[in-house]
Amino acid sequence: MTDSVAVALISGGLDSMISAARAREEGHRLLALSIDYNQRHQVELAAARRIAQALGAERHVVLPLDLRAFGGSALTAEIDVPKEGVGDDIPVTYVPARNTIFLSLALGWAEAMGARDIYIGVNALDYSGYPDCRPEFIAGFEKLAELATKAGVEGEPFRIRAPLQDMTKADIVREGMRLGLDLGMSWSCYDPAPGGVHCGLCDSCRLRSKGFEEAGVPDPTGYATAP
C-alpha cells in the first residue's frame, strides 16, 4: 500500500466522485471530506457517504458548517432554484466563496494529516460561470496554500488537483465508466423532487442528463420530469 495520502472533497455529485476515484487510481490513500453546509439538497450527503465507502476511504469526515447563516444563494436561502435552463451568467445557485471555504477546510485537514494533495471535482467548461471553478482560481489557491501554511513555507507545497478541470460533462461520464464506477451512486439535483428523485429541470440535472446523452451512456438517474 502506498504511503501517499490525499484529501478528496466529496459532495456526493458526479464530478467529485470521479475526482476522488482519480486520486485513488493515482496511488493515494483517501481521506474524504464532505461539508454539511445546511444546503437544501441534504440527500447529496447520503450519496457522499456511499461514495466514500465504495472508494475505500480510510476516513470520511462530514463537517457541519451552516452557511444558511450567511445565505446569498438558492442553495442556502429561500430563493427559488431556476428551472428555465442553463444560462451564461453566474446563477443564483452559486454559493458565495463556497469552494474557497471548502478548500480551506481541506487544506487544514491535509496539513494536519501530512497530506500534500487535495482533490476537488471542479469543472470549468460546463460551469464556466462559477468563478471558483476556473483554472486561475485553482492556481491562485495553490499559491495561497504555499504562503498560508507551516508546511508550505517550510518547502512542502500543497498540490490542488482538479483532474476534471477541462472536461465536458460527457467526458466526465466516460471517465467514470473507464474507472468502473457505479455512476448511479451520485446525486446532482439542486432541488430534489418528492420521492427522492432528481427534479430534472435545474441546471445541474440538465447538465447531468446532457452528459450521459452525449457520452452515449445509459443514464441511471431517476428524474421527476425529463430534462
Side-chain angles (χ1 to χ4, degrees), residues 108-158:
W109 194 22
E111 185 169 31
M113 298 300 293
R116 296 295 176 262
D117 292 276
I118 299 170
Y119 282 74
I120 184 170
V122 294
N123 167 251
L125 296 185
D126 284 331
Y127 267 175
S128 56
Y130 281 17
D132 56 359
C133 288
R134 298 172 183 168
E136 54 267 34
F137 165 74
I138 296 299
F141 193 93
E142 191 171 81
K143 181 62 178 176
L144 179 149
E146 180 181 346
L147 297 172
T149 60
K150 179 178 183 291
V153 300
E154 291 182 350
E156 296 184 30
F158 293 86

Short mmCIF file of all heavy atoms in Angstrom, two decimals, residues 108-158:
data_model
loop_
_atom_site.label_atom_id
_atom_site.label_comp_id
_atom_site.label_asym_id
_atom_site.label_seq_id
_atom_site.Cartn_x
_atom_site.Cartn_y
_atom_site.Cartn_z
N GLY A 108 -6.62 22.59 5.80
CA GLY A 108 -6.33 22.42 7.22
C GLY A 108 -6.22 20.96 7.61
O GLY A 108 -5.30 20.57 8.36
N TRP A 109 -7.13 20.14 7.09
CA TRP A 109 -7.08 18.71 7.40
C TRP A 109 -5.86 18.06 6.75
O TRP A 109 -5.18 17.24 7.37
CB TRP A 109 -8.37 18.02 6.95
CG TRP A 109 -8.55 16.64 7.51
CD1 TRP A 109 -7.98 16.12 8.64
CD2 TRP A 109 -9.37 15.60 6.97
NE1 TRP A 109 -8.39 14.83 8.84
CE2 TRP A 109 -9.24 14.49 7.83
CE3 TRP A 109 -10.19 15.52 5.85
CZ2 TRP A 109 -9.91 13.29 7.59
CZ3 TRP A 109 -10.88 14.33 5.62
CH2 TRP A 109 -10.73 13.21 6.48
N ALA A 110 -5.58 18.45 5.51
CA ALA A 110 -4.43 17.88 4.82
C ALA A 110 -3.14 18.16 5.58
O ALA A 110 -2.31 17.26 5.77
CB ALA A 110 -4.35 18.44 3.40
N GLU A 111 -2.97 19.39 6.04
CA GLU A 111 -1.74 19.71 6.76
C GLU A 111 -1.66 18.92 8.06
O GLU A 111 -0.60 18.41 8.42
CB GLU A 111 -1.64 21.21 7.05
CG GLU A 111 -0.30 21.57 7.68
CD GLU A 111 -0.02 23.06 7.76
OE1 GLU A 111 -0.98 23.84 7.89
OE2 GLU A 111 1.15 23.43 7.69
N ALA A 112 -2.79 18.80 8.75
CA ALA A 112 -2.79 18.06 10.00
C ALA A 112 -2.44 16.58 9.79
O ALA A 112 -1.82 15.96 10.66
CB ALA A 112 -4.16 18.17 10.66
N MET A 113 -2.82 16.03 8.65
CA MET A 113 -2.62 14.61 8.38
C MET A 113 -1.36 14.31 7.58
O MET A 113 -1.08 13.15 7.27
CB MET A 113 -3.84 14.04 7.64
CG MET A 113 -5.14 14.12 8.43
SD MET A 113 -5.08 13.20 9.98
CE MET A 113 -4.97 11.53 9.36
N GLY A 114 -0.61 15.34 7.23
CA GLY A 114 0.59 15.13 6.45
C GLY A 114 0.34 14.87 4.97
O GLY A 114 1.23 14.41 4.25
N ALA A 115 -0.86 15.17 4.50
CA ALA A 115 -1.19 15.02 3.08
C ALA A 115 -0.76 16.27 2.32
O ALA A 115 -0.81 17.38 2.87
CB ALA A 115 -2.68 14.79 2.89
N ARG A 116 -0.35 16.11 1.09
CA ARG A 116 0.06 17.26 0.28
C ARG A 116 -0.75 17.39 -1.00
O ARG A 116 -0.55 18.32 -1.77
CB ARG A 116 1.56 17.17 -0.05
CG ARG A 116 2.46 17.25 1.18
CD ARG A 116 2.36 18.60 1.87
NE ARG A 116 3.15 18.66 3.10
CZ ARG A 116 2.64 18.47 4.32
NH1 ARG A 116 1.35 18.21 4.47
NH2 ARG A 116 3.42 18.55 5.38
N ASP A 117 -1.67 16.46 -1.22
CA ASP A 117 -2.53 16.51 -2.41
C ASP A 117 -3.99 16.65 -1.99
O ASP A 117 -4.47 15.91 -1.12
CB ASP A 117 -2.36 15.25 -3.25
CG ASP A 117 -0.99 15.16 -3.88
OD1 ASP A 117 -0.79 15.76 -4.96
OD2 ASP A 117 -0.10 14.52 -3.28
N ILE A 118 -4.67 17.61 -2.60
CA ILE A 118 -6.09 17.85 -2.33
C ILE A 118 -6.83 17.78 -3.66
O ILE A 118 -6.47 18.48 -4.62
CB ILE A 118 -6.30 19.23 -1.69
CG1 ILE A 118 -5.57 19.31 -0.34
CG2 ILE A 118 -7.79 19.54 -1.52
CD1 ILE A 118 -5.52 20.71 0.25
N TYR A 119 -7.84 16.92 -3.72
CA TYR A 119 -8.60 16.71 -4.96
C TYR A 119 -9.97 17.38 -4.86
O TYR A 119 -10.67 17.24 -3.86
CB TYR A 119 -8.78 15.22 -5.23
CG TYR A 119 -7.56 14.56 -5.82
CD1 TYR A 119 -6.44 14.30 -5.03
CD2 TYR A 119 -7.51 14.21 -7.17
CE1 TYR A 119 -5.31 13.70 -5.57
CE2 TYR A 119 -6.37 13.60 -7.71
CZ TYR A 119 -5.29 13.36 -6.91
OH TYR A 119 -4.17 12.77 -7.43
N ILE A 120 -10.32 18.10 -5.92
CA ILE A 120 -11.61 18.76 -5.99
C ILE A 120 -12.18 18.57 -7.40
O ILE A 120 -11.45 18.63 -8.39
CB ILE A 120 -11.49 20.26 -5.62
CG1 ILE A 120 -12.86 20.93 -5.61
CG2 ILE A 120 -10.49 20.99 -6.53
CD1 ILE A 120 -12.85 22.34 -5.03
N GLY A 121 -13.47 18.34 -7.49
CA GLY A 121 -14.09 18.00 -8.77
C GLY A 121 -14.62 19.18 -9.56
O GLY A 121 -15.67 19.06 -10.19
N VAL A 122 -13.91 20.30 -9.53
CA VAL A 122 -14.39 21.47 -10.29
C VAL A 122 -14.23 21.22 -11.78
O VAL A 122 -13.36 20.48 -12.22
CB VAL A 122 -13.66 22.76 -9.88
CG1 VAL A 122 -13.98 23.13 -8.46
CG2 VAL A 122 -12.15 22.64 -10.08
N ASN A 123 -15.07 21.88 -12.54
CA ASN A 123 -15.11 21.72 -13.99
C ASN A 123 -15.44 23.07 -14.61
O ASN A 123 -16.46 23.66 -14.31
CB ASN A 123 -16.15 20.66 -14.35
CG ASN A 123 -16.48 20.64 -15.82
OD1 ASN A 123 -17.57 21.05 -16.21
ND2 ASN A 123 -15.56 20.21 -16.64
N ALA A 124 -14.55 23.57 -15.45
CA ALA A 124 -14.68 24.93 -15.97
C ALA A 124 -15.51 25.01 -17.25
O ALA A 124 -16.03 26.08 -17.57
CB ALA A 124 -13.30 25.53 -16.24
N LEU A 125 -15.67 23.91 -17.97
CA LEU A 125 -16.32 24.01 -19.27
C LEU A 125 -17.84 24.10 -19.15
O LEU A 125 -18.48 24.94 -19.78
CB LEU A 125 -15.93 22.81 -20.14
CG LEU A 125 -14.45 22.71 -20.50
CD1 LEU A 125 -14.22 21.55 -21.46
CD2 LEU A 125 -13.95 24.01 -21.14
N ASP A 126 -18.43 23.25 -18.33
CA ASP A 126 -19.88 23.28 -18.18
C ASP A 126 -20.33 24.38 -17.25
O ASP A 126 -21.44 24.90 -17.37
CB ASP A 126 -20.39 21.93 -17.66
CG ASP A 126 -20.40 20.87 -18.76
OD1 ASP A 126 -20.56 21.26 -19.93
OD2 ASP A 126 -20.25 19.69 -18.46
N TYR A 127 -19.51 24.74 -16.27
CA TYR A 127 -19.89 25.75 -15.29
C TYR A 127 -18.90 26.89 -15.26
O TYR A 127 -18.45 27.33 -14.22
CB TYR A 127 -19.99 25.11 -13.89
CG TYR A 127 -21.39 24.64 -13.54
CD1 TYR A 127 -21.63 23.95 -12.37
CD2 TYR A 127 -22.46 24.91 -14.38
CE1 TYR A 127 -22.91 23.52 -12.05
CE2 TYR A 127 -23.73 24.47 -14.08
CZ TYR A 127 -23.95 23.78 -12.92
OH TYR A 127 -25.22 23.36 -12.59
N SER A 128 -18.55 27.39 -16.44
CA SER A 128 -17.55 28.46 -16.52
C SER A 128 -18.06 29.74 -15.87
O SER A 128 -17.28 30.63 -15.58
CB SER A 128 -17.19 28.73 -17.98
OG SER A 128 -18.33 29.05 -18.75
N GLY A 129 -19.37 29.82 -15.63
CA GLY A 129 -19.91 30.99 -14.95
C GLY A 129 -19.57 31.05 -13.48
O GLY A 129 -19.67 32.10 -12.86
N TYR A 130 -19.16 29.92 -12.91
CA TYR A 130 -18.79 29.90 -11.50
C TYR A 130 -17.32 30.32 -11.36
O TYR A 130 -16.44 29.59 -11.79
CB TYR A 130 -18.96 28.49 -10.94
CG TYR A 130 -20.37 28.07 -10.59
CD1 TYR A 130 -21.47 28.77 -11.08
CD2 TYR A 130 -20.60 26.98 -9.78
CE1 TYR A 130 -22.76 28.38 -10.75
CE2 TYR A 130 -21.89 26.58 -9.44
CZ TYR A 130 -22.97 27.28 -9.94
OH TYR A 130 -24.23 26.90 -9.61
N PRO A 131 -17.05 31.44 -10.73
CA PRO A 131 -15.65 31.89 -10.65
C PRO A 131 -14.75 30.94 -9.88
O PRO A 131 -13.55 30.87 -10.16
CB PRO A 131 -15.76 33.25 -9.94
CG PRO A 131 -17.08 33.24 -9.25
CD PRO A 131 -17.98 32.39 -10.09
N ASP A 132 -15.32 30.18 -8.93
CA ASP A 132 -14.49 29.28 -8.13
C ASP A 132 -14.37 27.89 -8.75
O ASP A 132 -14.01 26.93 -8.07
CB ASP A 132 -15.00 29.20 -6.69
CG ASP A 132 -16.46 28.79 -6.59
OD1 ASP A 132 -17.11 28.57 -7.63
OD2 ASP A 132 -16.96 28.68 -5.45
N CYS A 133 -14.64 27.80 -10.05
CA CYS A 133 -14.39 26.56 -10.79
C CYS A 133 -13.35 26.77 -11.88
O CYS A 133 -13.03 25.84 -12.62
CB CYS A 133 -15.68 26.04 -11.43
SG CYS A 133 -16.87 25.37 -10.26
N ARG A 134 -12.81 27.97 -11.97
CA ARG A 134 -11.91 28.31 -13.06
C ARG A 134 -10.45 27.95 -12.75
O ARG A 134 -10.05 27.93 -11.59
CB ARG A 134 -12.03 29.81 -13.36
CG ARG A 134 -13.42 30.20 -13.83
CD ARG A 134 -13.57 31.71 -13.95
NE ARG A 134 -14.94 32.07 -14.33
CZ ARG A 134 -15.42 33.30 -14.30
NH1 ARG A 134 -14.66 34.30 -13.88
NH2 ARG A 134 -16.66 33.54 -14.67
N PRO A 135 -9.67 27.68 -13.79
CA PRO A 135 -8.27 27.30 -13.58
C PRO A 135 -7.48 28.34 -12.80
O PRO A 135 -6.62 27.99 -11.97
CB PRO A 135 -7.72 27.15 -15.00
CG PRO A 135 -8.92 26.84 -15.84
CD PRO A 135 -10.06 27.58 -15.21
N GLU A 136 -7.75 29.62 -13.03
CA GLU A 136 -7.00 30.65 -12.32
C GLU A 136 -7.30 30.65 -10.83
O GLU A 136 -6.44 31.00 -10.00
CB GLU A 136 -7.26 32.04 -12.93
CG GLU A 136 -8.70 32.45 -13.04
CD GLU A 136 -9.34 32.12 -14.38
OE1 GLU A 136 -8.99 31.07 -14.98
OE2 GLU A 136 -10.20 32.90 -14.82
N PHE A 137 -8.51 30.26 -10.47
CA PHE A 137 -8.83 30.13 -9.05
C PHE A 137 -8.04 28.99 -8.42
O PHE A 137 -7.47 29.13 -7.34
CB PHE A 137 -10.33 29.90 -8.84
CG PHE A 137 -10.67 29.40 -7.45
CD1 PHE A 137 -10.61 30.26 -6.37
CD2 PHE A 137 -11.02 28.07 -7.23
CE1 PHE A 137 -10.88 29.81 -5.08
CE2 PHE A 137 -11.30 27.61 -5.96
CZ PHE A 137 -11.23 28.49 -4.88
N ILE A 138 -8.00 27.84 -9.08
CA ILE A 138 -7.27 26.69 -8.55
C ILE A 138 -5.79 27.04 -8.40
O ILE A 138 -5.16 26.75 -7.37
CB ILE A 138 -7.45 25.47 -9.47
CG1 ILE A 138 -8.94 25.03 -9.47
CG2 ILE A 138 -6.56 24.32 -9.02
CD1 ILE A 138 -9.49 24.61 -8.13
N ALA A 139 -5.21 27.68 -9.42
CA ALA A 139 -3.80 28.08 -9.35
C ALA A 139 -3.57 29.08 -8.22
O ALA A 139 -2.57 29.01 -7.49
CB ALA A 139 -3.35 28.66 -10.68
N GLY A 140 -4.50 30.03 -8.06
CA GLY A 140 -4.37 31.03 -7.01
C GLY A 140 -4.46 30.42 -5.63
O GLY A 140 -3.72 30.81 -4.71
N PHE A 141 -5.37 29.45 -5.45
CA PHE A 141 -5.49 28.82 -4.13
C PHE A 141 -4.26 27.99 -3.81
O PHE A 141 -3.82 27.94 -2.66
CB PHE A 141 -6.76 27.96 -4.03
CG PHE A 141 -7.06 27.56 -2.62
CD1 PHE A 141 -7.89 28.32 -1.84
CD2 PHE A 141 -6.44 26.44 -2.04
CE1 PHE A 141 -8.14 27.99 -0.51
CE2 PHE A 141 -6.68 26.10 -0.72
CZ PHE A 141 -7.53 26.88 0.04
N GLU A 142 -3.69 27.35 -4.82
CA GLU A 142 -2.48 26.57 -4.58
C GLU A 142 -1.35 27.49 -4.09
O GLU A 142 -0.58 27.12 -3.19
CB GLU A 142 -2.08 25.86 -5.86
CG GLU A 142 -0.99 24.82 -5.67
CD GLU A 142 -0.78 23.99 -6.92
OE1 GLU A 142 -0.08 24.48 -7.83
OE2 GLU A 142 -1.32 22.86 -6.99
N LYS A 143 -1.25 28.68 -4.67
CA LYS A 143 -0.24 29.63 -4.22
C LYS A 143 -0.55 30.10 -2.80
O LYS A 143 0.36 30.22 -1.96
CB LYS A 143 -0.20 30.82 -5.17
CG LYS A 143 0.85 31.88 -4.80
CD LYS A 143 2.26 31.32 -4.83
CE LYS A 143 3.30 32.38 -4.52
NZ LYS A 143 4.68 31.82 -4.44
N LEU A 144 -1.81 30.36 -2.51
CA LEU A 144 -2.21 30.76 -1.16
C LEU A 144 -1.82 29.68 -0.15
O LEU A 144 -1.33 29.99 0.93
CB LEU A 144 -3.72 31.01 -1.12
CG LEU A 144 -4.34 31.43 0.22
CD1 LEU A 144 -5.53 32.33 0.00
CD2 LEU A 144 -4.77 30.21 1.04
N ALA A 145 -2.05 28.42 -0.50
CA ALA A 145 -1.73 27.32 0.41
C ALA A 145 -0.24 27.29 0.73
O ALA A 145 0.16 26.97 1.86
CB ALA A 145 -2.17 25.99 -0.21
N GLU A 146 0.58 27.63 -0.25
CA GLU A 146 2.02 27.65 -0.02
C GLU A 146 2.39 28.75 0.97
O GLU A 146 3.27 28.57 1.82
CB GLU A 146 2.74 27.89 -1.35
CG GLU A 146 4.26 27.93 -1.22
CD GLU A 146 4.93 28.20 -2.55
OE1 GLU A 146 4.27 28.08 -3.60
OE2 GLU A 146 6.14 28.54 -2.55
N LEU A 147 1.70 29.89 0.88
CA LEU A 147 2.03 31.03 1.72
C LEU A 147 1.40 30.96 3.11
O LEU A 147 1.91 31.55 4.06
CB LEU A 147 1.55 32.33 1.05
CG LEU A 147 2.19 32.68 -0.30
CD1 LEU A 147 1.49 33.88 -0.91
CD2 LEU A 147 3.68 32.94 -0.13
N ALA A 148 0.30 30.20 3.24
CA ALA A 148 -0.52 30.28 4.45
C ALA A 148 -0.29 29.15 5.44
O ALA A 148 -0.91 29.14 6.51
CB ALA A 148 -2.00 30.30 4.06
N THR A 149 0.58 28.21 5.10
CA THR A 149 0.74 27.03 5.96
C THR A 149 2.19 26.85 6.39
O THR A 149 3.13 27.26 5.69
CB THR A 149 0.30 25.76 5.22
OG1 THR A 149 1.11 25.61 4.04
CG2 THR A 149 -1.16 25.81 4.83
N LYS A 150 2.36 26.21 7.51
CA LYS A 150 3.70 25.86 8.00
C LYS A 150 4.41 24.97 6.99
O LYS A 150 5.59 25.18 6.67
CB LYS A 150 3.58 25.15 9.35
CG LYS A 150 4.92 24.69 9.97
CD LYS A 150 4.66 24.06 11.33
CE LYS A 150 5.97 23.66 12.03
NZ LYS A 150 6.63 22.53 11.34
N ALA A 151 3.67 23.98 6.48
CA ALA A 151 4.27 23.07 5.51
C ALA A 151 4.74 23.83 4.27
O ALA A 151 5.83 23.60 3.75
CB ALA A 151 3.27 21.99 5.12
N GLY A 152 3.90 24.74 3.80
CA GLY A 152 4.23 25.48 2.59
C GLY A 152 5.47 26.34 2.74
O GLY A 152 6.36 26.32 1.88
N VAL A 153 5.56 27.08 3.83
CA VAL A 153 6.71 27.97 4.00
C VAL A 153 7.98 27.19 4.33
O VAL A 153 9.09 27.71 4.18
CB VAL A 153 6.44 29.05 5.08
CG1 VAL A 153 5.25 29.91 4.69
CG2 VAL A 153 6.24 28.43 6.45
N GLU A 154 7.83 25.93 4.75
CA GLU A 154 9.00 25.09 5.02
C GLU A 154 9.37 24.22 3.83
O GLU A 154 10.17 23.30 3.94
CB GLU A 154 8.74 24.23 6.26
CG GLU A 154 8.69 25.05 7.55
CD GLU A 154 8.48 24.21 8.79
OE1 GLU A 154 8.19 22.99 8.65
OE2 GLU A 154 8.61 24.75 9.91
N GLY A 155 8.79 24.53 2.67
CA GLY A 155 9.21 23.86 1.44
C GLY A 155 8.46 22.60 1.09
O GLY A 155 8.95 21.80 0.29
N GLU A 156 7.29 22.39 1.68
CA GLU A 156 6.46 21.23 1.33
C GLU A 156 5.12 21.73 0.78
O GLU A 156 4.11 21.74 1.49
CB GLU A 156 6.22 20.36 2.56
CG GLU A 156 7.48 19.72 3.12
CD GLU A 156 7.16 18.78 4.28
OE1 GLU A 156 6.07 18.19 4.31
OE2 GLU A 156 8.02 18.66 5.17
N PRO A 157 5.12 22.18 -0.45
CA PRO A 157 3.91 22.80 -1.01
C PRO A 157 2.77 21.80 -1.21
O PRO A 157 3.00 20.59 -1.34
CB PRO A 157 4.38 23.35 -2.35
CG PRO A 157 5.54 22.48 -2.72
CD PRO A 157 6.22 22.13 -1.42
N PHE A 158 1.57 22.33 -1.22
CA PHE A 158 0.38 21.53 -1.48
C PHE A 158 0.04 21.59 -2.97
O PHE A 158 0.29 22.59 -3.64
CB PHE A 158 -0.80 22.06 -0.65
CG PHE A 158 -0.63 21.86 0.82
CD1 PHE A 158 0.06 22.81 1.58
CD2 PHE A 158 -1.12 20.75 1.45
CE1 PHE A 158 0.24 22.63 2.94
CE2 PHE A 158 -0.94 20.55 2.82
CZ PHE A 158 -0.26 21.50 3.56
#
